[in-house]
Amino acid sequence: MFTDAASYGCIVGTRASALSAQLCKWFNDGVSAGAKKEDTHMAAPGTAEQRHNAWKALEAHHAQVGTATLKEMFAQDPKRGKRMTLTAEGILLDYSKNRVNDETLKLLTGLAEAAGLKQSIEAMFNGEKINITENRAVLHVALRAPKDEVIEVDGHNVVPDVHEVLDKMAAFATRVRSGDWVGATGRRIKTVVNIGIGGSDLGPVMAYEALKHYTQRDLAFVFVSNVDGTDFVEGTLGLDPHETLFLIASKTFTTLETMTNAHSAREWFLKNTDGDEKAIAKHFVAISTNAKEVAKFGIDTANMFGFWDWVGGRYSMDSAIGLSTMIAVGPDQFKEMLEGFHAMDVHFRTAPLAQNMPVLMGLLSIWYTDYFDAQTVAILPYDQYLKRFPAYLQQLTMESNGKHVTLEGDHVGTETGPVYWGEPGTNGQHSFYQLIHQGTRLIPCDFIGFYKTLNPIGHHHDILMANVFAQTEALAFGKTAEQVKAEGTPDNLVPHRVFEGNRPSNTLLADTLTPRLLGSLIALYEHMVFTQGCVWNIDSFDQWGVELGKVLAQKIVGELDPTTTPDLKHDSSTNHLIQLYRQKKAANG
Ligand code: F6P
């Protein structure tokens, strides 16, 4: 029989003692690395001792309140549901269904202060090179800065550069949308194909889907990312090359997947037209920081939209990488999206930590990750237009904070980035919600919903939103054995039908999904990631973890040719798999 007490124990899963041991190591390392720390650009004002104490205070607090239930907390404070809300830039965050009390929030804010979050935010906005492993500034906030703002990198104001590219994008997007930009044979562009991967794909495709309601419907958009030829073949199936525009989106213009797809696009285009290379200029444009490689590929750099090394790939959807978005929704609505981003930037920079929405969300995720052993966070948008939002957030969160060493290069003393995943509601309810409600893991959830739908038909929207409210209520308060019994459930089935509850969630509500709102929502998560990275003392802006596999793949590609006899020097498993592939490939011809 499940009792409430037993059930809390099984999902609390505190890892306090492991954390304690790690913190001691971290503290000692921190003290010995003190001198080194001064050299970094993210030098925090909190000493290693203060940071250590802030973590320890939370640990002691967790030991006291970690088993408290949401049911108790709500019973103690009838105003909790209204009190624990925060509004910023049209987004309401209800964080009352989190396993926190006022003291928890105070201690979490103290942790952020000890980590030097305020100073780190300023360092980012001031163009300091806070991406220390690549010696780069981190300035996606400059991509949405108003024209008159001054943000300098190495003494150069980058804001005019940003607006010059935005103006060039706007002129081009307007021409494509109006039909003034025509293909080589004078025909209007009907399909835009964005070729890119990672940040050069996930942001554009997410934004296209999110803002579909606002798009020009006589233009079709296709997103090709995977090096699997199927993606390209299916994406271009039935397209008329004379009416197709390819946007080759790659910050580096060297990414294997994107360059392979770009070359296939070039071949496809030449094969299906009269093969005149001069026509390329009307059907291919590049979005990149690498003019040399763009020219080498054969795209006129006059048809290139640039950006800068201080824009990380996963933070680039509002740079030139967003050209497909701008063509789809038009320059004015793109501008509204940028204004939404900027408004949330200002909130993040100026709001006190305790009333700062991205900070609060970042700290709550740290509370669950480091004190409750939560390993994942579910992102559950109740809006079909946000169907690619969880996928977009996967890169943003996990490529940023999937790190195991501190800024000083020491092994971290705490857990870092959780796994982010999700699906739009209500689909997910009929798939994985079972585990969130009755499984043994604690999975904090972010529910995202809107007061007003863009497609009001029948009662759909009320039904959709009723599910948001029902799910967060069920997760928080569950259903006791007594309640189940009172419904006349046979004794043997009671344990199966008990909902432990006490499962935390955030609810984010906004009026309606507009370009501006989307910008604010994305910036909210960008800055939540920043908060996490700062508290964990890691570099959220590099991605060395993707390198090893890339290098090995480049080497192995050459070894798959059955007409050569390479001296395979991998482990026995990899050698065997390569041999099998070579044999099958030879047999298949
Ligand atoms: O996956 C690694 C990565 O470098 C991402 O950070 C980036 O968004 C993606 O590859 C694509 O890179 P590029 O825009 O240079 O082609």
Side-chain angles (χ1 to χ4, degrees):
M1 180 75 61
F2 285 5
T3 64
D4 278 359
S7 65
Y8 302 142
C10 79
I11 65 162
V12 162
T14 175
R15 49 183 296 279
S17 56
L19 180 67
S20 202
Q22 282 179 315
L23 283 173
C24 288
K25 181 189 174 301
W26 192 61
F27 174 60
N28 293 333
D29 291 350
V31 170
S32 65
K36 244 198 293 173
K37 175 79 188 162
E38 298 307 312
D39 298 337
T40 72
H41 296 275
M42 280 182 86
T47 60
E49 190 177 357
Q50 282 165 339
R51 284 183 285 139
H52 174 78
N53 289 343
W55 282 103
K56 291 293 283 183
L58 274 159
E59 189 183 326
H61 175 70
H62 176 264
Q64 282 174 0
V65 304
T67 53
T69 68
L70 286 166
K71 206 179 271 178
E72 290 158 1
M73 291 178 199
F74 272 82
Q76 277 157 18
D77 175 6
K79 298 208 172 104
R80 181 182 170 99
K82 204 166 165 195
R83 194 169 64 80
M84 288 193 161
T85 58
L86 183 63
T87 304
E89 302 316 322
I91 301 173
L92 173 124
L93 166 67
D94 174 351
Y95 58 94
S96 64
K97 293 192 185 88
N98 280 287
R99 291 168 65 168
V100 294
N101 60 25
D102 293 343
E103 180 66 9
T104 322
L105 296 171
K106 207 170 119 207
L107 291 171
L108 283 169
T109 311
L111 179 66
E113 267 161 16
L117 178 59
K118 271 279 170 202
Q119 292 75 10
S120 294
I121 293 172
E122 278 312 296
M124 171 171 72
F125 277 87
N126 288 329
E128 287 181 39
K129 296 192 175 166
I130 62 170
N131 176 356
I132 59 162
T133 71
E134 296 179 309
N135 193 30
R136 287 177 183 164
V138 173
L139 273 181
H140 41 281
V141 293
L143 297 171
R144 51 264 192 160
K147 257 188 184 147
D148 55 355
E149 215 166 284
V150 176
I151 302 176
E152 292 186 344
V153 177
D154 295 330
H156 172 74
N157 180 12
V158 300
V159 179
D161 303 348
V162 167
H163 282 272
E164 192 183 320
V165 174
L166 282 172
D167 290 346
K168 184 174 169 182
M169 287 165 66
F172 180 73
T174 303
R175 290 188 68 192
V176 175
R177 286 165 64 84
S178 68
D180 181 45
W181 177 281
V182 289
T185 53
R187 279 157 66 183
R188 197 182 167 137
I189 298 300
K190 290 209 178 128
T191 306
V192 176
V193 182
N194 187 82
I195 294 183
I197 199 164
S200 302
D201 167 72
L202 288 164
V205 72
M206 179 275 288
Y208 173 68
E209 293 295 343
L211 300 178
K212 207 176 216 165
H213 178 81
Y214 303 90
T215 59
Q216 184 169 314
R217 299 289 180 143
D218 62 357
L219 275 171
F221 289 79
V222 173
F223 296 84
V224 174
S225 55
N226 201 332
V227 76
D228 182 343
T230 300
D231 204 13
F232 181 82
V233 170
E234 290 292 344
T236 52
L237 202 66
L239 296 187
D240 184 334
H242 302 285
E243 299 173 344
T244 300
L245 175 69
F246 288 97
L247 311 181
I248 313 298
S250 173
K251 179 176 171 182
T252 54
F253 230 73
T254 55
T255 304
L256 182 62
E257 292 91 334
T258 300
M259 296 329 293
T260 305
N261 277 320
H263 282 285
S264 296
R266 205 169 181 278
E267 276 165 35
W268 175 88
F269 177 80
L270 293 173
K271 198 171 127 213
N272 292 294
T273 57
D274 63 7
D276 181 1
E277 300 248 352
K278 285 204 287 301
I280 297 277
K282 286 285 171 197
H283 293 269
F284 283 76
V285 303
I287 303 160
S288 186
T289 56
N290 192 342
K292 208 165 127 214
E293 287 296 324
V294 168
K296 219 160 103 190
F297 178 83
I299 295 179
D300 185 347
T301 48
N303 294 340
M304 171 179 158
F305 298 84
F307 59 116
W308 308 271
D309 72 356
W310 41 261
V311 184
R314 54 195 174 273
Y315 297 89
S316 68
M317 59 151 295
D318 49 339
S319 70
I321 290 290
L323 184 60
S324 58
T325 315
M326 196 192 267
I327 296 173
V329 301
D332 290 344
Q333 297 191 102
F334 193 86
K335 189 166 167 263
E336 282 171 25
M337 183 181 79
L338 295 184
E339 286 165 1
F341 269 103
H342 179 67
M344 188 58 80
D345 294 343
V346 173
H347 168 79
F348 182 53
R349 192 177 187 180
T350 58
L353 296 183
Q355 280 103 48
N356 195 310
M357 196 178 286
V359 171
L360 190 53
M361 286 177 63
L363 292 174
L364 287 169
S365 64
I366 289 167
W367 175 236
Y368 296 119
T369 302
D370 287 306
Y371 293 96
F372 290 79
D373 203 19
Q375 315 217 334
T376 79
V377 177
I379 303 292
L380 309 166
Y382 278 65
D383 189 305
Q384 189 63 17
Y385 285 126
L386 289 178
K387 66 181 181 190
R388 295 302 303 267
F389 195 59
Y392 168 77
L393 284 190
Q394 282 180 357
Q395 187 198 14
L396 181 69
T397 56
M398 295 198 275
E399 205 171 69
S400 295
N401 286 341
K403 309 289 162 64
H404 71 292
V405 293
T406 64
L407 290 171
E408 294 81 18
D410 302 311
H411 203 283
V412 289
T414 58
E415 296 290 348
T416 61
V419 173
Y420 280 80
W421 59 287
E423 278 288 323
T426 58
N427 293 7
Q429 291 176 206
H430 299 271
S431 156
F432 52 78
Y433 277 44
Q434 165 65 38
L435 188 148
I436 305 181
H437 281 286
Q438 284 193 314
T440 54
R441 296 171 193 282
L442 184 79
I443 302 178
C445 304
D446 286 358
F447 287 82
I448 304 171
F450 295 90
Y451 300 119
K452 201 169 135 214
T453 176
L454 292 164
N455 295 297
I457 51 163
H459 292 306
H460 286 242
H461 197 60
D462 286 349
I463 295 171
L464 179 72
M465 291 307 293
N467 275 280
V468 173
F469 306 136
Q471 289 299 326
T472 65
E473 186 180 0
L475 286 167
F477 304 108
K479 197 173 188 185
T480 63
E482 290 66 37
Q483 287 171 308
V484 176
K485 270 188 208 158
E487 288 169 352
T489 308
D491 279 359
N492 65 324
L493 288 185
V494 170
H496 299 276
R497 301 187 62 168
V498 165
F499 287 71
E500 295 171 346
N502 215 18
R503 292 161 196 241
S505 64
N506 288 317
T507 304
L508 293 156
L509 293 178
D511 195 34
T512 192
L513 181 55
T514 59
R516 184 184 171 98
L517 192 279
L518 181 70
S520 295
L521 186 65
I522 297 166
L524 168 62
Y525 279 95
E526 286 178 345
H527 299 321
M528 182 214 66
V529 167
F530 185 95
T531 301
Q532 293 174 331
C534 175
V535 172
W536 285 322
N537 191 32
I538 56 181
D539 190 332
S540 300
F541 302 103
D542 60 14
Q543 56 283 318
W544 299 107
V546 300
E547 293 303 320
L548 180 60
K550 272 191 202 171
V551 172
L552 288 174
Q554 289 276 18
K555 182 167 183 272
I556 293 173
V557 168
E559 295 170 345
L560 299 182
D561 178 356
T563 63
T564 63
T565 44
D567 180 14
L568 297 179
K569 290 208 169 81
H570 307 275
D571 59 276
S572 61
S573 161
T574 311
N575 281 346
H576 181 230
L577 294 170
I578 292 172
Q579 291 290 14
L580 282 175
Y581 183 86
R582 287 168 54 85
Q583 283 159 18
K584 290 287 179 195
K585 192 176 169 192
N588 291 337

Short mmCIF file of all heavy atoms in Angstrom, two decimals, residues 194-207 223-225 249-252 255 258 287 307 311-325 391-396 399 526 543 546 550:
data_model
loop_
_atom_site.label_atom_id
_atom_site.label_comp_id
_atom_site.label_asym_id
_atom_site.label_seq_id
_atom_site.Cartn_x
_atom_site.Cartn_y
_atom_site.Cartn_z
N ASN A 194 15.86 26.20 -46.50
CA ASN A 194 16.95 26.54 -45.58
C ASN A 194 17.78 25.28 -45.34
O ASN A 194 17.26 24.26 -44.89
CB ASN A 194 16.39 27.04 -44.24
CG ASN A 194 17.49 27.57 -43.31
OD1 ASN A 194 17.89 28.73 -43.45
ND2 ASN A 194 17.96 26.76 -42.40
N ILE A 195 19.06 25.38 -45.69
CA ILE A 195 19.96 24.25 -45.43
C ILE A 195 20.90 24.65 -44.30
O ILE A 195 21.66 25.60 -44.42
CB ILE A 195 20.75 23.87 -46.70
CG1 ILE A 195 19.78 23.34 -47.76
CG2 ILE A 195 21.84 22.85 -46.38
CD1 ILE A 195 20.45 22.87 -49.03
N GLY A 196 20.82 23.97 -43.19
CA GLY A 196 21.67 24.26 -42.03
C GLY A 196 21.45 23.16 -41.02
O GLY A 196 20.60 22.28 -41.20
N ILE A 197 22.21 23.19 -39.93
CA ILE A 197 22.01 22.17 -38.89
C ILE A 197 22.29 22.80 -37.53
O ILE A 197 22.94 23.85 -37.45
CB ILE A 197 22.89 20.92 -39.15
CG1 ILE A 197 22.38 19.70 -38.36
CG2 ILE A 197 24.37 21.19 -38.85
CD1 ILE A 197 22.93 18.37 -38.84
N GLY A 198 21.81 22.18 -36.47
CA GLY A 198 22.01 22.74 -35.12
C GLY A 198 21.37 24.12 -35.05
O GLY A 198 20.23 24.31 -35.47
N GLY A 199 22.11 25.08 -34.56
CA GLY A 199 21.57 26.42 -34.41
C GLY A 199 21.19 27.06 -35.73
O GLY A 199 20.41 28.01 -35.77
N SER A 200 21.74 26.56 -36.83
CA SER A 200 21.42 27.12 -38.14
C SER A 200 20.19 26.45 -38.76
O SER A 200 19.85 26.70 -39.91
CB SER A 200 22.63 26.96 -39.07
OG SER A 200 23.74 27.62 -38.49
N ASP A 201 19.55 25.60 -37.97
CA ASP A 201 18.33 24.92 -38.42
C ASP A 201 17.23 24.98 -37.34
O ASP A 201 16.10 25.37 -37.62
CB ASP A 201 18.63 23.45 -38.74
CG ASP A 201 17.36 22.62 -38.90
OD1 ASP A 201 16.68 22.78 -39.92
OD2 ASP A 201 17.06 21.81 -38.00
N LEU A 202 17.59 24.60 -36.12
CA LEU A 202 16.56 24.43 -35.08
C LEU A 202 15.83 25.73 -34.76
O LEU A 202 14.60 25.72 -34.56
CB LEU A 202 17.20 23.85 -33.81
CG LEU A 202 17.62 22.39 -33.94
CD1 LEU A 202 18.59 22.00 -32.82
CD2 LEU A 202 16.40 21.48 -33.88
N GLY A 203 16.58 26.84 -34.72
CA GLY A 203 15.94 28.14 -34.47
C GLY A 203 15.03 28.51 -35.62
O GLY A 203 13.84 28.80 -35.43
N PRO A 204 15.56 28.52 -36.87
CA PRO A 204 14.71 28.87 -38.01
C PRO A 204 13.46 27.98 -38.15
O PRO A 204 12.37 28.49 -38.38
CB PRO A 204 15.65 28.70 -39.21
CG PRO A 204 17.00 29.01 -38.65
CD PRO A 204 16.98 28.48 -37.25
N VAL A 205 13.61 26.68 -37.98
CA VAL A 205 12.43 25.83 -38.18
C VAL A 205 11.44 26.03 -37.04
O VAL A 205 10.21 26.08 -37.24
CB VAL A 205 12.82 24.34 -38.41
CG1 VAL A 205 13.30 23.68 -37.15
CG2 VAL A 205 11.65 23.55 -38.96
N MET A 206 11.96 26.18 -35.82
CA MET A 206 11.06 26.43 -34.68
C MET A 206 10.30 27.74 -34.89
O MET A 206 9.07 27.79 -34.70
CB MET A 206 11.89 26.50 -33.38
CG MET A 206 11.11 26.78 -32.13
SD MET A 206 10.83 28.53 -31.83
CE MET A 206 12.44 29.08 -31.36
N ALA A 207 11.02 28.80 -35.29
CA ALA A 207 10.36 30.11 -35.46
C ALA A 207 9.35 30.07 -36.60
O ALA A 207 8.28 30.65 -36.52
CB ALA A 207 11.41 31.18 -35.70
N PHE A 223 12.99 22.85 -44.61
CA PHE A 223 14.21 22.91 -43.80
C PHE A 223 14.94 21.57 -43.94
O PHE A 223 14.40 20.53 -43.58
CB PHE A 223 13.88 23.21 -42.34
CG PHE A 223 13.25 24.58 -42.19
CD1 PHE A 223 11.88 24.76 -42.37
CD2 PHE A 223 14.03 25.68 -41.91
CE1 PHE A 223 11.30 26.02 -42.27
CE2 PHE A 223 13.47 26.95 -41.80
CZ PHE A 223 12.09 27.12 -41.99
N VAL A 224 16.12 21.63 -44.51
CA VAL A 224 16.91 20.41 -44.70
C VAL A 224 18.12 20.51 -43.76
O VAL A 224 18.87 21.49 -43.81
CB VAL A 224 17.39 20.28 -46.17
CG1 VAL A 224 18.34 19.10 -46.32
CG2 VAL A 224 16.19 20.13 -47.11
N SER A 225 18.28 19.49 -42.92
CA SER A 225 19.39 19.56 -41.96
C SER A 225 20.23 18.28 -41.95
O SER A 225 21.47 18.34 -41.96
CB SER A 225 18.86 19.82 -40.55
OG SER A 225 17.90 18.85 -40.19
N ALA A 249 22.77 28.13 -44.64
CA ALA A 249 22.98 28.77 -43.33
C ALA A 249 24.01 28.00 -42.53
O ALA A 249 23.76 26.87 -42.09
CB ALA A 249 21.64 28.81 -42.58
N SER A 250 25.16 28.61 -42.34
CA SER A 250 26.19 27.96 -41.53
C SER A 250 27.15 29.02 -41.02
O SER A 250 27.77 29.73 -41.82
CB SER A 250 26.96 26.91 -42.37
OG SER A 250 28.04 26.41 -41.63
N LYS A 251 27.26 29.10 -39.73
CA LYS A 251 28.16 30.10 -39.14
C LYS A 251 29.58 29.90 -39.69
O LYS A 251 30.23 30.82 -40.13
CB LYS A 251 28.13 29.96 -37.61
CG LYS A 251 29.04 30.93 -36.89
CD LYS A 251 28.88 30.79 -35.38
CE LYS A 251 29.97 31.63 -34.70
NZ LYS A 251 29.94 31.53 -33.25
N THR A 252 30.04 28.65 -39.66
CA THR A 252 31.41 28.36 -40.07
C THR A 252 31.55 28.13 -41.58
O THR A 252 32.63 28.30 -42.15
CB THR A 252 31.90 27.09 -39.37
OG1 THR A 252 30.93 26.05 -39.65
CG2 THR A 252 32.02 27.29 -37.87
N THR A 255 30.64 23.08 -41.83
CA THR A 255 29.97 21.95 -41.18
C THR A 255 29.65 20.86 -42.22
O THR A 255 29.02 21.14 -43.24
CB THR A 255 28.69 22.44 -40.47
OG1 THR A 255 29.07 23.46 -39.57
CG2 THR A 255 27.99 21.33 -39.72
N THR A 258 25.98 20.36 -43.48
CA THR A 258 25.44 21.48 -44.27
C THR A 258 26.16 21.60 -45.61
O THR A 258 25.51 21.82 -46.65
CB THR A 258 25.57 22.79 -43.45
OG1 THR A 258 24.83 22.61 -42.25
CG2 THR A 258 25.04 23.99 -44.22
N ILE A 287 24.38 32.49 -45.52
CA ILE A 287 24.31 33.17 -44.22
C ILE A 287 25.47 32.61 -43.42
O ILE A 287 25.51 31.41 -43.12
CB ILE A 287 22.98 32.84 -43.51
CG1 ILE A 287 21.79 33.22 -44.39
CG2 ILE A 287 22.92 33.54 -42.17
CD1 ILE A 287 20.51 32.52 -44.02
N PHE A 307 27.21 37.48 -40.00
CA PHE A 307 27.12 37.73 -38.56
C PHE A 307 28.51 37.54 -37.97
O PHE A 307 29.49 37.61 -38.71
CB PHE A 307 25.99 36.96 -37.88
CG PHE A 307 26.00 35.45 -37.97
CD1 PHE A 307 26.14 34.69 -36.82
CD2 PHE A 307 25.82 34.78 -39.16
CE1 PHE A 307 26.12 33.31 -36.86
CE2 PHE A 307 25.79 33.40 -39.23
CZ PHE A 307 25.95 32.67 -38.08
N VAL A 311 28.33 35.61 -31.80
CA VAL A 311 26.98 35.02 -31.80
C VAL A 311 27.14 33.50 -31.81
O VAL A 311 27.62 32.94 -32.79
CB VAL A 311 26.17 35.43 -33.05
CG1 VAL A 311 24.74 34.86 -32.97
CG2 VAL A 311 26.14 36.92 -33.23
N GLY A 312 26.76 32.85 -30.72
CA GLY A 312 26.85 31.39 -30.69
C GLY A 312 25.79 30.78 -31.60
O GLY A 312 24.70 31.35 -31.76
N GLY A 313 26.08 29.63 -32.19
CA GLY A 313 25.13 28.99 -33.11
C GLY A 313 23.73 28.86 -32.51
O GLY A 313 22.73 29.19 -33.14
N ARG A 314 23.67 28.40 -31.25
CA ARG A 314 22.36 28.16 -30.64
C ARG A 314 21.71 29.45 -30.14
O ARG A 314 20.61 29.42 -29.61
CB ARG A 314 22.50 27.13 -29.51
CG ARG A 314 23.55 27.48 -28.47
CD ARG A 314 23.89 26.27 -27.60
NE ARG A 314 24.99 26.52 -26.68
CZ ARG A 314 26.27 26.35 -26.98
NH1 ARG A 314 26.63 25.96 -28.19
NH2 ARG A 314 27.21 26.57 -26.07
N TYR A 315 22.41 30.55 -30.29
CA TYR A 315 21.87 31.86 -29.90
C TYR A 315 21.70 32.75 -31.14
O TYR A 315 21.72 33.96 -31.04
CB TYR A 315 22.82 32.54 -28.90
CG TYR A 315 22.95 31.78 -27.61
CD1 TYR A 315 23.92 30.79 -27.46
CD2 TYR A 315 22.09 32.02 -26.54
CE1 TYR A 315 24.03 30.06 -26.28
CE2 TYR A 315 22.19 31.30 -25.36
CZ TYR A 315 23.16 30.33 -25.23
OH TYR A 315 23.25 29.61 -24.07
N SER A 316 21.59 32.12 -32.32
CA SER A 316 21.71 32.92 -33.56
C SER A 316 20.41 33.08 -34.34
O SER A 316 20.42 33.67 -35.41
CB SER A 316 22.76 32.26 -34.47
OG SER A 316 22.32 31.02 -34.95
N MET A 317 19.29 32.59 -33.82
CA MET A 317 18.07 32.61 -34.66
C MET A 317 17.56 34.01 -34.95
O MET A 317 16.79 34.21 -35.88
CB MET A 317 16.97 31.77 -34.04
CG MET A 317 16.57 32.23 -32.68
SD MET A 317 14.87 31.86 -32.31
CE MET A 317 14.00 32.85 -33.45
N ASP A 318 18.02 35.00 -34.17
CA ASP A 318 17.62 36.37 -34.44
C ASP A 318 18.71 37.16 -35.15
O ASP A 318 18.63 38.38 -35.29
CB ASP A 318 17.17 37.08 -33.15
CG ASP A 318 18.16 36.93 -32.01
OD1 ASP A 318 18.97 35.98 -32.05
OD2 ASP A 318 18.14 37.75 -31.08
N SER A 319 19.74 36.47 -35.62
CA SER A 319 20.77 37.09 -36.48
C SER A 319 20.36 36.84 -37.93
O SER A 319 19.20 36.48 -38.21
CB SER A 319 22.13 36.43 -36.21
OG SER A 319 22.12 35.11 -36.73
N ALA A 320 21.31 36.96 -38.85
CA ALA A 320 21.02 36.65 -40.25
C ALA A 320 20.54 35.21 -40.42
O ALA A 320 19.84 34.89 -41.40
CB ALA A 320 22.27 36.89 -41.10
N ILE A 321 20.88 34.35 -39.46
CA ILE A 321 20.39 32.96 -39.50
C ILE A 321 18.85 32.95 -39.55
O ILE A 321 18.23 32.00 -40.04
CB ILE A 321 20.94 32.15 -38.29
CG1 ILE A 321 22.44 31.90 -38.45
CG2 ILE A 321 20.19 30.84 -38.08
CD1 ILE A 321 22.86 30.95 -39.53
N GLY A 322 18.25 34.03 -39.09
CA GLY A 322 16.78 34.13 -39.14
C GLY A 322 16.25 34.65 -40.45
O GLY A 322 15.08 35.07 -40.53
N LEU A 323 17.05 34.61 -41.51
CA LEU A 323 16.57 35.15 -42.79
C LEU A 323 15.29 34.43 -43.27
O LEU A 323 14.36 35.07 -43.77
CB LEU A 323 17.67 35.04 -43.86
CG LEU A 323 17.33 35.65 -45.22
CD1 LEU A 323 17.01 37.15 -45.12
CD2 LEU A 323 18.49 35.45 -46.22
N SER A 324 15.25 33.12 -43.08
CA SER A 324 14.02 32.40 -43.51
C SER A 324 12.82 32.91 -42.72
O SER A 324 11.72 33.07 -43.26
CB SER A 324 14.19 30.88 -43.33
OG SER A 324 14.47 30.57 -41.99
N THR A 325 13.04 33.17 -41.41
CA THR A 325 11.95 33.69 -40.57
C THR A 325 11.49 35.05 -41.12
O THR A 325 10.29 35.32 -41.23
CB THR A 325 12.43 33.87 -39.11
OG1 THR A 325 13.16 32.73 -38.70
CG2 THR A 325 11.25 34.11 -38.18
N ALA A 391 12.41 20.88 -29.07
CA ALA A 391 13.62 20.48 -29.81
C ALA A 391 14.62 21.64 -29.85
O ALA A 391 15.84 21.45 -29.71
CB ALA A 391 13.25 20.05 -31.23
N TYR A 392 14.09 22.84 -30.04
CA TYR A 392 14.97 24.01 -30.06
C TYR A 392 15.65 24.17 -28.69
O TYR A 392 16.86 24.42 -28.60
CB TYR A 392 14.14 25.25 -30.41
CG TYR A 392 14.87 26.55 -30.17
CD1 TYR A 392 15.83 26.99 -31.07
CD2 TYR A 392 14.61 27.32 -29.04
CE1 TYR A 392 16.52 28.17 -30.85
CE2 TYR A 392 15.29 28.50 -28.82
CZ TYR A 392 16.25 28.93 -29.72
OH TYR A 392 16.93 30.08 -29.50
N LEU A 393 14.87 24.00 -27.64
CA LEU A 393 15.44 24.17 -26.29
C LEU A 393 16.45 23.08 -25.94
O LEU A 393 17.32 23.29 -25.11
CB LEU A 393 14.32 24.17 -25.24
CG LEU A 393 13.49 25.44 -25.12
CD1 LEU A 393 12.61 25.38 -23.89
CD2 LEU A 393 14.34 26.70 -25.06
N GLN A 394 16.31 21.93 -26.58
CA GLN A 394 17.29 20.88 -26.30
C GLN A 394 18.70 21.35 -26.62
O GLN A 394 19.63 21.16 -25.84
CB GLN A 394 16.99 19.63 -27.13
CG GLN A 394 15.85 18.83 -26.57
CD GLN A 394 15.55 17.59 -27.38
OE1 GLN A 394 16.17 17.34 -28.42
NE2 GLN A 394 14.61 16.82 -26.93
N GLN A 395 18.86 21.98 -27.78
CA GLN A 395 20.21 22.46 -28.12
C GLN A 395 20.60 23.62 -27.22
O GLN A 395 21.72 23.68 -26.69
CB GLN A 395 20.30 22.90 -29.59
CG GLN A 395 21.75 23.23 -29.96
CD GLN A 395 21.92 24.06 -31.22
OE1 GLN A 395 20.97 24.64 -31.74
NE2 GLN A 395 23.14 24.13 -31.72
N LEU A 396 19.65 24.55 -27.05
CA LEU A 396 19.97 25.74 -26.24
C LEU A 396 20.44 25.34 -24.84
O LEU A 396 21.45 25.84 -24.35
CB LEU A 396 18.72 26.64 -26.14
CG LEU A 396 18.94 27.92 -25.35
CD1 LEU A 396 19.85 28.88 -26.08
CD2 LEU A 396 17.60 28.61 -25.06
N GLU A 399 23.48 21.91 -25.13
CA GLU A 399 24.79 22.23 -25.70
C GLU A 399 25.44 23.32 -24.85
O GLU A 399 26.67 23.41 -24.77
CB GLU A 399 24.65 22.69 -27.17
CG GLU A 399 25.92 22.46 -27.98
CD GLU A 399 25.75 22.69 -29.48
OE1 GLU A 399 25.55 23.85 -29.87
OE2 GLU A 399 25.84 21.72 -30.25
N GLU A 526 16.92 31.65 -22.89
CA GLU A 526 18.36 31.93 -23.06
C GLU A 526 18.98 32.39 -21.74
O GLU A 526 20.05 31.93 -21.34
CB GLU A 526 18.56 33.04 -24.11
CG GLU A 526 18.34 32.63 -25.54
CD GLU A 526 18.52 33.79 -26.52
OE1 GLU A 526 18.55 34.97 -26.10
OE2 GLU A 526 18.63 33.52 -27.72
N GLN A 543 31.27 24.45 -27.05
CA GLN A 543 30.63 23.15 -27.32
C GLN A 543 31.68 22.15 -27.78
O GLN A 543 31.55 21.51 -28.81
CB GLN A 543 29.49 23.26 -28.35
CG GLN A 543 29.83 23.87 -29.71
CD GLN A 543 29.96 25.36 -29.66
OE1 GLN A 543 29.17 26.04 -29.03
NE2 GLN A 543 30.99 25.91 -30.30
N VAL A 546 31.13 18.35 -29.01
CA VAL A 546 30.66 17.85 -30.30
C VAL A 546 31.83 17.56 -31.24
O VAL A 546 31.64 17.02 -32.33
CB VAL A 546 29.67 18.83 -30.99
CG1 VAL A 546 28.45 19.06 -30.11
CG2 VAL A 546 30.32 20.16 -31.32
N LYS A 550 32.90 14.40 -34.49
CA LYS A 550 33.04 14.99 -35.83
C LYS A 550 34.37 14.58 -36.46
O LYS A 550 34.42 14.17 -37.62
CB LYS A 550 33.08 16.53 -35.71
CG LYS A 550 31.77 17.24 -35.74
CD LYS A 550 32.07 18.74 -35.90
CE LYS A 550 30.96 19.61 -35.42
NZ LYS A 550 31.30 21.02 -35.37
#
